[in-house]
Amino acid sequence: MNTAAINEAIKICLKEICSRLDEATRLARAAEACVLAGSVAEGVEVSMDIEQLIYEAGRLHDAVSLMHRLTRV
């Protein structure tokens, strides 16, 4: 098993996780700003994309965990 290649893949996945969570954070802040400005419906609408980003981050984390376990075999 090529541990160096797996470690590189893990690094890429972790970067992608950060990217998705950063985007989710930006959306959450925008949604909060909408609500604080009095537009609850718009805030909810803005927040709807957060779910997909969190789902993708979770699946990437699953892949990272699996790859890490493979390096310990």
Side-chain angles (χ1 to χ4, degrees):
M1 182 168 308
N2 188 344
T3 303
I6 292 175
N7 286 343
E8 185 62 26
I10 288 171
K11 184 171 92 173
I12 291 167
C13 286
L14 289 174
K15 183 175 182 177
E16 288 299 316
I17 290 169
C18 287
S19 175
R20 282 164 176 76
L21 293 178
D22 286 345
E23 180 63 21
T25 299
R26 284 191 286 278
L27 287 170
R29 287 190 177 127
E32 180 185 34
C34 291
V35 170
L36 292 175
S39 182
V40 173
E42 186 178 356
V44 171
E45 184 73 27
V46 169
S47 74
M48 297 303 286
D49 291 332
I50 294 172
E51 182 178 6
Q52 182 63 33
L53 293 165
I54 292 172
Y55 173 80
E56 291 171 7
R59 297 307 61 79
L60 285 164
H61 185 261
D62 291 343
V64 166
S65 297
L66 176 61
M67 286 185 282
H68 179 67
R69 282 192 303 271
L70 290 173
T71 63
R72 298 187 322 185
V73 172

